Amino acid sequence: AIAGKLKAQQATSVIQDIIISIGRTGALTPVAKIKPINIAGVIISNATLHNQDEINRKDVRIGDTVLIQRAGDVIPEVIKVIHKKRPKKTNSYMLPTECPSCQSNLKKFEDEAILRCLNIYNCPDQKKGRINHFVSKNCLDIDGLGTKLVNQLIEIGLIKNIADIFYIKLNDLIDMERMGEKSSYNIIDAINNSKETN
């Protein structure tokens, strides 16, 4: 048997901004906010820029027209800049020197290309990332406890760490905006069921 792989589809768009995404391990990833485009039936509005070395190599700047590709037909990435369409007076982009989430020091380790926030325990974005990963399908798979709800629970102070998930009460959820009684019951059931996960 032979497996053929189709060439990934590409399209051009304009970088409107570059934002920093902070993962659960403290890794900072620059993300290009692009003018939304349709690639293979999917509307794309973000594309990864990977790290500072990649930004420098491709000379990516805010305002640039760029070629976007869905890598492996999943993650959109910037392939190259179309320099002849670059607006005048654009500046090279540099990653911040402090964490945008907690203003802590950043460090680039010798064996890595990425910057990391060193505030492991108190960086809000890292905390959100760890808790969201913990409740995801790859870990405890707590149905109904999605990213938006977890972030909301963290922001109102009901969850400060992973253990707090198991102390959420039915009334805590019912009192929240856009939460009905039935969906609150279902989430509490899912949390209780996750305690028995093998």
Side-chain angles (χ1 to χ4, degrees), residues 142-145 149 168-175 179-193:
I142 301 176
D143 194 36
L145 206 54
L149 182 56
I168 296 171
K169 304 217 173 1
L170 183 65
N171 288 339
D172 294 335
L173 296 175
I174 291 174
D175 292 343
M179 286 297 295
E181 197 169 318
K182 187 170 195 279
S183 55
S184 298
Y185 270 112
N186 291 341
I187 290 169
I188 295 296
D189 278 347
I191 290 170
N192 289 332
N193 291 338

Side-chain angles (χ1 to χ4, degrees), residues 95-136:
L95 285 170
T97 53
E98 346 180 287
C99 175
S101 179
C102 66
Q103 287 70 55
S104 293
N105 292 331
L106 302 175
K107 184 169 182 177
K108 183 177 175 183
F109 293 95
E110 282 183 32
D111 59 338
E112 294 184 324
I114 54 173
L115 274 175
R116 285 190 189 277
C117 170
L118 301 179
N119 187 6
I120 297 167
Y121 300 107
N122 295 311
C123 177
D125 282 4
Q126 285 188 64
K127 193 184 294 184
K128 284 178 184 176
R130 281 193 293 273
I131 294 170
N132 277 305
H133 178 70
F134 185 76
V135 302
S136 72

Side-chain angles (χ1 to χ4, degrees), residues 31-69:
V31 177
K33 301 292 281 181
I34 61 171
K35 190 174 178 184
I37 51 167
N38 187 324
I39 300 180
V42 178
I43 302 298
I44 307 293
S45 57
N46 296 326
T48 184
L49 293 168
H50 301 291
N51 54 55
Q52 186 68 57
D53 293 342
E54 193 75 358
I55 290 172
N56 294 347
R57 189 176 68 77
K58 293 175 181 172
D59 189 23
V60 178
R61 302 179 184 190
I62 295 170
D64 277 344
T65 298
V66 291
L67 185 65
I68 305 290
Q69 171 178 295

